[in-house]
Amino acid sequence: MNPNTTGSWQIEKHAENFLTDVLKEFYEACPQALAFATDLQKNIAVRLRDIIDHISFNDQNIIPKLINSGWMNKAGEHIYQNETGLFPTFIYQDGPKKLAFKVEFIDDFLIANNLQREVIGQQGSQIRMAKIFEGDYEFWAVERHGTRSFSPEILPEYIIQRATHYQHLFRTRQRKFSDVNRGLSEIEKLVDEAVGEIGKDWSCDLFLRAEREYWMSRNKAGRIQKERQDKFGIGWANQDHHTFDSSRQYFYVTIRILEKLGFECRELFYAGAGAGWGSQILEQPVLQSVIFADIDLAPEELNIDFAHAENIQPLHPFRRAGLWCAMHGESILEAGLNHLECMYDSKRFNEIFAELNIPMMTPFSDFPHLYQALTVGEWWAVDNDKINSLESDRHISKEAAENFRKNGAIGSHFENLERNYGFKGFNQPGIDDVLRVIDPRKQLVDNESTN
């Protein structure tokens, strides 16, 4: 896909209706699975539909319906995938019909649900599976890390040990550097080493897990919801996308690192001249994970491949992303993710967070096919030297500088996102609106007006 586009994703009602009928059939045949799905949605707002990994069937008569609903056969195998929407893979094979749903770690799932089941696959390997409910219709839990395989493979113990080693390094890496270029060089070197030993897809899975953990250490709403999801043993199986902010001069290096981890530039979002902000959306096809990579952007730069341009200088004054990075650091280094977005039953999620007294911002997407709303942001302290530099370079006013010294600035959010009809895209006008609102300078106005 041309990275300089706004995307062309569509809603797929026909495919969604087909999937709904399949799920209904499974639930009628296995009441335990229906009860589990109901508990998930009621207690943590997670829809089982959003964490389905794959579905296997044994009736060839289903194949024409699959194809007519948007699934395509993969490379002559009995594997059918819908590439234009968010839908699970279908597999034609003999034996019982199966529905497999994603969990972050299979052992955690079994412990959380007090289940004793045989686990297929090596401890610490890329894919492990366990049959949860059996019969003519089987329900399975699947743990996968950087692989699209549908059956466990025996890996050398050395490779598993190296993956464990790199998970440790990603989790414990130095993030704060006096020289940003040195910091970027260090993480790029680590990524190169990991990819060279265990491959880009597995490395990407380990990298993103470490990024989520670091983000949670600085985001209370994320920690609370993760704890709730851990009680059901699914972890972050429902994650949708991660948002990184970057300064303009370091953007191409950040993109280069992400591309080494298997991400591909998918489409460009531009919030408009008034906002001065843009985002390169990237997707990792094996993980099926998405990144919003945000930077300050000027209108005349829309016709260049800014994701790979090496001589983009900072705008003056900083716009939203530039100012956030100037105060908190680069997302890929000391600041961490701006926000994490996961898929939910949005209404139930809002009800739960209201009960927990966690405030939400006004939704910036509210459509039948897409709902998006951020938590009110976490306030982070800002180093006084950074504030002085921003003030002296006239990126912020004297009044803003005093407010930042006193109150800090918004750091991170958690996002409630609901997708329907397989819609993979985003709401560009809505994102423009919300990012205008969460600009640190806008927060100052709101903060002062309520004091």
Side-chain angles (χ1 to χ4, degrees):
M1 179 176 289
N2 181 354
N4 281 15
T5 70
T6 55
S8 57
W9 307 107
Q10 305 294 322
I11 62 175
E12 300 191 23
K13 290 187 176 180
H14 190 44
E16 187 69 31
N17 290 338
F18 175 82
L19 178 61
T20 299
D21 289 342
V22 170
L23 290 179
K24 181 180 178 181
E25 180 182 339
F26 270 86
Y27 289 152
E28 289 176 349
C30 186
Q32 307 101 303
L34 175 59
F36 173 69
T38 301
D39 285 345
L40 276 185
Q41 195 158 346
K42 176 182 177 182
N43 291 287
I44 56 174
V46 174
R47 304 183 304 184
L48 189 67
R49 178 257 179 267
D50 291 326
I51 60 172
I52 297 174
D53 184 86
H54 65 274
I55 297 172
S56 68
F57 61 98
N58 53 21
D59 183 358
Q60 287 188 336
N61 293 325
I62 293 178
I63 294 176
K65 297 178 183 178
L66 263 178
I67 295 174
N68 290 335
S69 299
W71 277 263
M72 299 178 63
N73 183 251
K74 179 185 177 183
E77 302 174 357
H78 297 302
I79 298 174
Y80 296 82
Q81 295 177 331
N82 185 312
E83 301 290 349
T84 58
L86 287 173
F87 295 101
T89 297
F90 278 77
I91 304 172
Y92 172 68
Q93 61 184 23
D94 294 332
K97 295 181 179 181
K98 301 177 183 178
L99 185 152
F101 58 90
K102 293 179 284 188
V103 298
E104 199 164 12
F105 296 103
I106 195 76
D107 291 340
D108 291 348
F109 177 81
L110 296 176
I111 293 169
N113 291 277
N114 194 28
L115 295 171
Q116 290 75 46
R117 299 289 190 272
E118 177 187 4
V119 177
I120 302 172
Q122 293 165 279
Q123 181 76 35
S125 63
Q126 288 184 273
I127 181 168
R128 305 179 76 215
M129 310 172 68
K131 187 191 302 180
I132 307 304
F133 305 121
E134 60 182 343
D136 293 335
Y137 292 73
E138 297 179 350
F139 277 73
W140 289 68
V142 178
E143 167 191 343
R144 62 169 70 248
H145 306 292
T147 177
R148 291 305 301 157
S149 173
F150 296 98
S151 58
E153 301 174 2
I154 301 298
L155 297 176
E157 286 296 330
Y158 170 77
I159 294 299
I160 293 177
Q161 291 171 2
R162 297 312 291 166
T164 301
H165 171 69
Y166 284 112
Q167 180 68 96
H168 167 74
L169 294 182
F170 282 136
R171 282 172 166 159
T172 61
R173 67 184 175 95
Q174 180 179 343
R175 286 182 174 266
K176 189 171 183 178
F177 294 83
S178 57
D179 181 354
V180 173
N181 285 309
R182 182 185 163 213
L184 293 172
S185 178
E186 289 293 320
I187 180 59
E188 187 167 15
K189 179 182 177 182
L190 176 55
V191 165
D192 285 339
E193 292 174 354
V195 170
E197 289 205 62
I198 62 173
K200 62 184 178 181
D201 301 324
W202 202 351
S203 297
C204 187
D205 178 85
L206 302 177
F207 173 81
L208 289 180
R209 188 186 310 153
E211 294 307 294
R212 290 191 295 270
E213 290 173 352
Y214 183 68
W215 167 80
M216 279 190 291
S217 74
R218 312 188 73 194
N219 188 282
K220 183 178 179 180
R223 291 195 300 274
I224 290 173
Q225 181 61 15
K226 175 60 158 51
E227 182 180 357
R228 296 174 65 84
Q229 293 185 195
D230 283 345
K231 289 181 179 179
F232 285 82
I234 67 168
W236 286 128
N238 60 324
Q239 59 89 13
D240 182 86
H241 61 282
H242 307 70
T243 299
F244 287 78
D245 278 8
S246 174
S247 300
R248 286 163 57 89
Q249 65 269 38
Y250 307 125
F251 192 66
Y252 78 98
V253 182
T254 298
I255 295 297
R256 187 172 70 206
I257 293 169
L258 295 175
E259 288 179 328
K260 288 183 175 183
L261 290 166
F263 279 96
E264 300 172 358
C265 289
R266 200 180 83 177
E267 64 219 48
L268 168 68
F269 265 59
Y270 180 55
W277 159 84
S279 179
Q280 180 66 63
I281 299 176
L282 304 98
E283 182 172 354
Q284 219 285 5
V286 173
L287 272 67
Q288 297 179 309
S289 185
V290 171
I291 281 178
F292 255 76
D294 297 351
I295 66 164
D296 292 348
L297 190 64
E300 62 271 17
E301 295 172 316
L302 294 178
N303 294 322
I304 67 172
D305 181 9
F306 72 89
H308 303 102
E310 298 187 12
N311 297 309
I312 298 180
Q313 297 303 307
L315 296 180
H316 194 283
F318 290 136
R319 279 53 165 184
R320 185 206 65 81
L323 181 58
W324 188 90
C325 290
M327 291 192 293
H328 302 309
E330 304 297 306
S331 276
I332 203 166
L333 293 175
E334 64 193 275
L337 299 174
N338 184 294
H339 51 284
L340 173 69
E341 301 84 346
C342 295
M343 291 180 285
Y344 295 101
D345 173 337
S346 60
K347 180 179 178 181
R348 181 60 188 140
F349 181 97
N350 287 333
E351 291 172 348
I352 291 172
F353 266 42
E355 295 168 1
L356 295 171
N357 295 315
I358 302 175
M360 303 293 298
M361 297 176 64
T362 301
F364 57 96
S365 299
D366 192 359
F367 307 104
H369 63 282
L370 179 67
Y371 179 95
Q372 294 176 270
L374 295 169
T375 58
V376 171
E378 305 271 337
W379 287 84
W380 295 348
V382 181
D383 182 84
N384 194 53
D385 289 341
K386 292 182 178 180
I387 297 174
N388 291 340
S389 179
L390 288 167
E391 183 182 2
S392 64
D393 291 340
R394 298 183 179 180
H395 289 290
I396 59 175
S397 67
K398 179 179 179 180
E399 293 74 20
E402 287 301 319
N403 203 304
F404 287 139
R405 292 187 185 100
K406 178 181 178 181
N407 300 310
I410 290 291
S412 68
H413 303 260
F414 183 38
E415 184 174 324
N416 170 16
L417 180 148
E418 180 179 326
R419 296 186 180 278
N420 292 308
Y421 312 116
F423 183 68
K424 290 183 67 171
F426 299 93
N427 171 27
Q428 182 158 318
I431 294 172
D432 181 2
D433 292 342
V434 76
L435 287 178
R436 288 172 185 262
V437 171
I438 67 174
D439 185 294
R441 287 158 293 212
K442 173 64 176 176
Q443 291 293 330
L444 293 179
V445 174
D446 292 345
N447 188 41
E448 291 168 349
S449 66
T450 57
N451 287 341

